[in-house]
PDB file of all heavy atoms in Angstrom:
ATOM      1  N   ALA A 374      67.278 219.950 -85.878  1.00 93.00           N
ATOM      2  CA  ALA A 374      66.649 220.880 -86.878  1.00 93.00           C
ATOM      3  C   ALA A 374      67.673 221.775 -87.526  1.00 93.00           C
ATOM      4  O   ALA A 374      67.384 222.262 -88.632  1.00 93.00           O
ATOM      5  CB  ALA A 374      65.601 221.697 -86.117  1.00 93.00           C
ATOM      6  N   SER A 375      68.864 222.028 -86.953  1.00 93.00           N
ATOM      7  CA  SER A 375      69.825 222.929 -87.470  1.00 93.00           C
ATOM      8  C   SER A 375      70.452 222.287 -88.792  1.00 93.00           C
ATOM      9  O   SER A 375      71.125 222.957 -89.526  1.00 93.00           O
ATOM     10  CB  SER A 375      70.922 223.239 -86.451  1.00 93.00           C
ATOM     11  OG  SER A 375      71.777 222.122 -86.418  1.00 93.00           O
ATOM     12  N   GLY A 376      70.367 221.001 -88.949  1.00 92.00           N
ATOM     13  CA  GLY A 376      70.986 220.346 -90.136  1.00 92.00           C
ATOM     14  C   GLY A 376      72.345 219.893 -89.838  1.00 92.00           C
ATOM     15  O   GLY A 376      73.152 219.514 -90.777  1.00 92.00           O
ATOM     16  N   ALA A 377      72.900 220.222 -88.634  1.00 95.00           N
ATOM     17  CA  ALA A 377      74.246 219.929 -88.329  1.00 95.00           C
ATOM     18  C   ALA A 377      74.538 218.412 -88.440  1.00 95.00           C
ATOM     19  O   ALA A 377      73.678 217.632 -88.277  1.00 95.00           O
ATOM     20  CB  ALA A 377      74.569 220.371 -86.844  1.00 95.00           C
ATOM     21  N   ARG A 378      75.811 218.140 -88.715  1.00 94.00           N
ATOM     22  CA  ARG A 378      76.139 216.718 -88.865  1.00 94.00           C
ATOM     23  C   ARG A 378      76.390 216.024 -87.622  1.00 94.00           C
ATOM     24  O   ARG A 378      76.185 214.769 -87.465  1.00 94.00           O
ATOM     25  CB  ARG A 378      77.460 216.624 -89.725  1.00 94.00           C
ATOM     26  CG  ARG A 378      77.268 217.298 -91.098  1.00 94.00           C
ATOM     27  CD  ARG A 378      78.459 217.025 -92.024  1.00 94.00           C
ATOM     28  NE  ARG A 378      78.116 217.500 -93.330  1.00 94.00           N
ATOM     29  CZ  ARG A 378      78.609 218.617 -93.847  1.00 94.00           C
ATOM     30  NH1 ARG A 378      79.440 219.379 -93.184  1.00 94.00           N
ATOM     31  NH2 ARG A 378      78.314 219.001 -95.054  1.00 94.00           N
ATOM     32  N   PHE A 379      76.822 216.769 -86.608  1.00 96.00           N
ATOM     33  CA  PHE A 379      77.135 216.173 -85.336  1.00 96.00           C
ATOM     34  C   PHE A 379      76.548 217.043 -84.201  1.00 96.00           C
ATOM     35  O   PHE A 379      76.571 218.300 -84.303  1.00 96.00           O
ATOM     36  CB  PHE A 379      78.628 216.057 -85.073  1.00 96.00           C
ATOM     37  CG  PHE A 379      79.321 215.116 -85.976  1.00 96.00           C
ATOM     38  CD1 PHE A 379      79.817 215.516 -87.210  1.00 96.00           C
ATOM     39  CD2 PHE A 379      79.498 213.749 -85.573  1.00 96.00           C
ATOM     40  CE1 PHE A 379      80.407 214.621 -87.992  1.00 96.00           C
ATOM     41  CE2 PHE A 379      80.150 212.872 -86.387  1.00 96.00           C
ATOM     42  CZ  PHE A 379      80.600 213.298 -87.661  1.00 96.00           C
ATOM     43  N   ALA A 380      76.200 216.372 -83.148  1.00 96.00           N
ATOM     44  CA  ALA A 380      75.933 217.164 -81.798  1.00 96.00           C
ATOM     45  C   ALA A 380      77.199 216.959 -80.961  1.00 96.00           C
ATOM     46  O   ALA A 380      77.683 215.852 -80.835  1.00 96.00           O
ATOM     47  CB  ALA A 380      74.745 216.645 -81.177  1.00 96.00           C
ATOM     48  N   VAL A 381      77.675 218.043 -80.388  1.00 97.00           N
ATOM     49  CA  VAL A 381      78.713 217.947 -79.371  1.00 97.00           C
ATOM     50  C   VAL A 381      78.034 218.222 -78.075  1.00 97.00           C
ATOM     51  O   VAL A 381      77.346 219.229 -77.870  1.00 97.00           O
ATOM     52  CB  VAL A 381      79.821 219.042 -79.669  1.00 97.00           C
ATOM     53  CG1 VAL A 381      80.823 219.097 -78.543  1.00 97.00           C
ATOM     54  CG2 VAL A 381      80.474 218.775 -81.018  1.00 97.00           C
ATOM     55  N   ILE A 382      78.203 217.261 -77.176  1.00 95.00           N
ATOM     56  CA  ILE A 382      77.375 217.301 -75.908  1.00 95.00           C
ATOM     57  C   ILE A 382      78.327 217.502 -74.745  1.00 95.00           C
ATOM     58  O   ILE A 382      79.292 216.807 -74.549  1.00 95.00           O
ATOM     59  CB  ILE A 382      76.583 216.039 -75.786  1.00 95.00           C
ATOM     60  CG1 ILE A 382      75.609 215.786 -76.936  1.00 95.00           C
ATOM     61  CG2 ILE A 382      75.751 216.140 -74.424  1.00 95.00           C
ATOM     62  CD1 ILE A 382      75.135 214.432 -77.115  1.00 95.00           C
ATOM     63  N   ILE A 383      78.044 218.629 -74.030  1.00 94.00           N
ATOM     64  CA  ILE A 383      78.792 218.913 -72.844  1.00 94.00           C
ATOM     65  C   ILE A 383      77.942 218.848 -71.576  1.00 94.00           C
ATOM     66  O   ILE A 383      77.063 219.757 -71.388  1.00 94.00           O
ATOM     67  CB  ILE A 383      79.567 220.231 -72.900  1.00 94.00           C
ATOM     68  CG1 ILE A 383      80.092 220.533 -74.353  1.00 94.00           C
ATOM     69  CG2 ILE A 383      80.560 220.468 -71.837  1.00 94.00           C
ATOM     70  CD1 ILE A 383      81.266 219.803 -74.601  1.00 94.00           C
ATOM     71  N   GLY A 384      78.159 217.983 -70.715  1.00 92.00           N
ATOM     72  CA  GLY A 384      77.496 218.027 -69.408  1.00 92.00           C
ATOM     73  C   GLY A 384      78.529 218.084 -68.377  1.00 92.00           C
ATOM     74  O   GLY A 384      79.683 218.441 -68.577  1.00 92.00           O
ATOM     75  N   ASP A 385      78.105 217.936 -67.038  1.00 90.00           N
ATOM     76  CA  ASP A 385      79.017 218.102 -65.868  1.00 90.00           C
ATOM     77  C   ASP A 385      80.183 217.151 -66.117  1.00 90.00           C
ATOM     78  O   ASP A 385      81.339 217.597 -65.852  1.00 90.00           O
ATOM     79  CB  ASP A 385      78.293 217.663 -64.621  1.00 90.00           C
ATOM     80  CG  ASP A 385      77.289 218.837 -64.225  1.00 90.00           C
ATOM     81  OD1 ASP A 385      77.531 219.951 -64.707  1.00 90.00           O
ATOM     82  OD2 ASP A 385      76.292 218.500 -63.580  1.00 90.00           O
ATOM     83  N   ASP A 386      80.046 215.880 -66.465  1.00 90.00           N
ATOM     84  CA  ASP A 386      81.121 214.984 -66.590  1.00 90.00           C
ATOM     85  C   ASP A 386      82.199 215.493 -67.576  1.00 90.00           C
ATOM     86  O   ASP A 386      83.403 215.452 -67.179  1.00 90.00           O
ATOM     87  CB  ASP A 386      80.602 213.663 -67.230  1.00 90.00           C
ATOM     88  CG  ASP A 386      80.014 212.732 -66.203  1.00 90.00           C
ATOM     89  OD1 ASP A 386      79.889 213.216 -65.052  1.00 90.00           O
ATOM     90  OD2 ASP A 386      79.729 211.537 -66.537  1.00 90.00           O
ATOM     91  N   GLU A 387      81.744 215.895 -68.706  1.00 92.00           N
ATOM     92  CA  GLU A 387      82.712 216.333 -69.716  1.00 92.00           C
ATOM     93  C   GLU A 387      83.357 217.570 -69.260  1.00 92.00           C
ATOM     94  O   GLU A 387      84.642 217.749 -69.571  1.00 92.00           O
ATOM     95  CB  GLU A 387      81.947 216.650 -71.075  1.00 92.00           C
ATOM     96  CG  GLU A 387      81.450 215.361 -71.838  1.00 92.00           C
ATOM     97  CD  GLU A 387      80.110 214.928 -71.470  1.00 92.00           C
ATOM     98  OE1 GLU A 387      79.551 215.435 -70.451  1.00 92.00           O
ATOM     99  OE2 GLU A 387      79.581 213.956 -72.126  1.00 92.00           O
ATOM    100  N   ALA A 388      82.638 218.478 -68.573  1.00 91.00           N
ATOM    101  CA  ALA A 388      83.303 219.708 -68.124  1.00 91.00           C
ATOM    102  C   ALA A 388      84.365 219.349 -67.148  1.00 91.00           C
ATOM    103  O   ALA A 388      85.472 220.029 -67.159  1.00 91.00           O
ATOM    104  CB  ALA A 388      82.223 220.553 -67.450  1.00 91.00           C
ATOM    105  N   VAL A 389      84.151 218.360 -66.350  1.00 91.00           N
ATOM    106  CA  VAL A 389      85.175 218.046 -65.284  1.00 91.00           C
ATOM    107  C   VAL A 389      86.399 217.383 -65.906  1.00 91.00           C
ATOM    108  O   VAL A 389      87.521 217.742 -65.673  1.00 91.00           O
ATOM    109  CB  VAL A 389      84.576 217.108 -64.234  1.00 91.00           C
ATOM    110  CG1 VAL A 389      85.645 216.609 -63.277  1.00 91.00           C
ATOM    111  CG2 VAL A 389      83.521 217.881 -63.329  1.00 91.00           C
ATOM    112  N   VAL A 390      86.147 216.491 -66.829  1.00 93.00           N
ATOM    113  CA  VAL A 390      87.232 215.683 -67.480  1.00 93.00           C
ATOM    114  C   VAL A 390      87.939 216.587 -68.527  1.00 93.00           C
ATOM    115  O   VAL A 390      89.103 216.430 -68.698  1.00 93.00           O
ATOM    116  CB  VAL A 390      86.661 214.419 -68.141  1.00 93.00           C
ATOM    117  CG1 VAL A 390      87.816 213.676 -68.831  1.00 93.00           C
ATOM    118  CG2 VAL A 390      86.012 213.525 -67.052  1.00 93.00           C
ATOM    119  N   GLY A 391      87.204 217.583 -69.143  1.00 91.00           N
ATOM    120  CA  GLY A 391      87.748 218.322 -70.111  1.00 91.00           C
ATOM    121  C   GLY A 391      87.656 217.769 -71.533  1.00 91.00           C
ATOM    122  O   GLY A 391      88.407 218.112 -72.463  1.00 91.00           O
ATOM    123  N   ASP A 392      86.714 216.899 -71.736  1.00 94.00           N
ATOM    124  CA  ASP A 392      86.537 216.272 -73.085  1.00 94.00           C
ATOM    125  C   ASP A 392      85.129 216.573 -73.551  1.00 94.00           C
ATOM    126  O   ASP A 392      84.489 217.529 -72.992  1.00 94.00           O
ATOM    127  CB  ASP A 392      86.918 214.793 -73.105  1.00 94.00           C
ATOM    128  CG  ASP A 392      85.928 213.951 -72.205  1.00 94.00           C
ATOM    129  OD1 ASP A 392      85.099 214.597 -71.617  1.00 94.00           O
ATOM    130  OD2 ASP A 392      86.098 212.722 -72.173  1.00 94.00           O
ATOM    131  N   LEU A 393      84.655 215.737 -74.451  1.00 96.00           N
ATOM    132  CA  LEU A 393      83.295 215.995 -75.056  1.00 96.00           C
ATOM    133  C   LEU A 393      82.626 214.732 -75.425  1.00 96.00           C
ATOM    134  O   LEU A 393      83.300 213.702 -75.639  1.00 96.00           O
ATOM    135  CB  LEU A 393      83.324 217.025 -76.167  1.00 96.00           C
ATOM    136  CG  LEU A 393      84.278 216.609 -77.353  1.00 96.00           C
ATOM    137  CD1 LEU A 393      83.503 215.762 -78.409  1.00 96.00           C
ATOM    138  CD2 LEU A 393      84.860 217.850 -77.977  1.00 96.00           C
ATOM    139  N   SER A 394      81.300 214.695 -75.691  1.00 96.00           N
ATOM    140  CA  SER A 394      80.672 213.608 -76.292  1.00 96.00           C
ATOM    141  C   SER A 394      80.195 214.001 -77.641  1.00 96.00           C
ATOM    142  O   SER A 394      79.645 215.075 -77.856  1.00 96.00           O
ATOM    143  CB  SER A 394      79.453 213.170 -75.460  1.00 96.00           C
ATOM    144  OG  SER A 394      79.844 212.662 -74.203  1.00 96.00           O
ATOM    145  N   LEU A 395      80.519 213.151 -78.626  1.00 97.00           N
ATOM    146  CA  LEU A 395      80.215 213.438 -80.000  1.00 97.00           C
ATOM    147  C   LEU A 395      79.153 212.457 -80.543  1.00 97.00           C
ATOM    148  O   LEU A 395      79.366 211.262 -80.522  1.00 97.00           O
ATOM    149  CB  LEU A 395      81.464 213.298 -80.886  1.00 97.00           C
ATOM    150  CG  LEU A 395      81.382 213.806 -82.298  1.00 97.00           C
ATOM    151  CD1 LEU A 395      81.271 215.392 -82.329  1.00 97.00           C
ATOM    152  CD2 LEU A 395      82.570 213.486 -83.147  1.00 97.00           C
ATOM    153  N   LYS A 396      78.041 213.031 -81.016  1.00 96.00           N
ATOM    154  CA  LYS A 396      76.876 212.173 -81.547  1.00 96.00           C
ATOM    155  C   LYS A 396      76.608 212.462 -82.930  1.00 96.00           C
ATOM    156  O   LYS A 396      76.226 213.576 -83.299  1.00 96.00           O
ATOM    157  CB  LYS A 396      75.700 212.403 -80.638  1.00 96.00           C
ATOM    158  CG  LYS A 396      74.485 211.523 -80.943  1.00 96.00           C
ATOM    159  CD  LYS A 396      73.341 211.779 -79.972  1.00 96.00           C
ATOM    160  CE  LYS A 396      72.011 211.330 -80.481  1.00 96.00           C
ATOM    161  NZ  LYS A 396      71.927 209.911 -80.752  1.00 96.00           N
TER     162      LYS A 396
END
Side-chain angles (χ1 to χ4, degrees):
S375 75
R378 300 190 172 103
F379 292 89
V381 172
I382 303 161
I383 317 288
D385 288 334
D386 276 7
E387 287 87 352
V389 170
V390 178
D392 63 0
L393 57 89
S394 296
L395 189 69
K396 183 176 163 55

